[in-house]
Amino acid sequence: MMTSVIVQQLVGEGAIDIDAPLAAQMDLTGLEDIPNIHDVMVRELLSNRPGIPDFDSIPGQSGLRAFIERLMQHPDRPLETGKLLALASGQDASFAPGEAYEYWNTNFLLLQKLVEQITGDSFGQVFSNRVFSVAGMKDSSLKSDGTFENGLLSYAELVPDQIIDVTDAPLDFGASGGVVSTTSDMIRFLDALLVSRALLSPGQMEEMLDFRTPDSTPSQDG
């Protein structure tokens, strides 16, 4: 949601065209082999309708998901957004852009790359300038920034039947869930978004909450 807010802000400023192809608005070097990348619109990425496969679901050679396989094989090597996006290269598209709805994290990593190129800032800095500071979120950061302290330990079942401490795993989900925050800060975010409306103009908020299928039928998916 925070990533969508940032994109909507830039749309309102005229820096991003929501109904233009992603390829027309950013350098795709290194991303050329991601399916649908040359045709997908920014709106389709925001509404989870690009048909681009998710890095989180791509299988590895051992039967584990590919990104988990790499993390387990090389736990000391950072697995950042560029490497996660590379997992989608050469895969088959799920469907043509706009034809269906499918929530995938890859969509938001691509939007992160777009925002970074448009603004010239790191995504952590963009979050700080456009969301955290505006909403008064003093205890939030992007995990890759490494600025948080005294956080709760995190555990995940990366391997079947094995619960692993992933608190310090060198895994950067970036725009697809990489923010480390607190309950209080998330309340501040929702207040700034939905109550005080400090983050988006009325027109941008209306656009963000207007979920529709490709034929303009109102929908709950988006």
Side-chain angles (χ1 to χ4, degrees), residues 85-146:
L85 282 171
L87 295 175
S89 294
Q91 302 293 320
D92 294 329
S94 300
F95 47 83
E99 282 192 352
Y101 170 87
E102 201 169 53
Y103 181 91
W104 289 137
N105 289 314
T106 305
N107 306 341
F108 296 95
L109 293 187
L110 289 171
L111 289 170
Q112 172 180 339
K113 292 294 185 183
L114 173 63
V115 168
E116 288 176 332
Q117 288 192 25
I118 292 292
T119 64
D121 293 326
S122 70
F123 207 61
Q125 189 61 52
V126 174
F127 262 132
S128 179
N129 293 343
R130 291 179 170 269
V131 177
F132 300 153
S133 61
V134 176
M137 300 167 66
K138 298 180 180 179
D139 296 315
S140 300
S141 67
L142 205 60
K143 182 181 178 183
S144 57
D145 288 348

Side-chain angles (χ1 to χ4, degrees), residues 7 9 25 47 75-76 83 88-89 95 186 219:
V7 173
Q9 289 174 345
Q25 303 182 69
S47 59
D76 58 333
K83 293 179 180 178
S89 294
F95 47 83
M186 290 307 299
S219 170

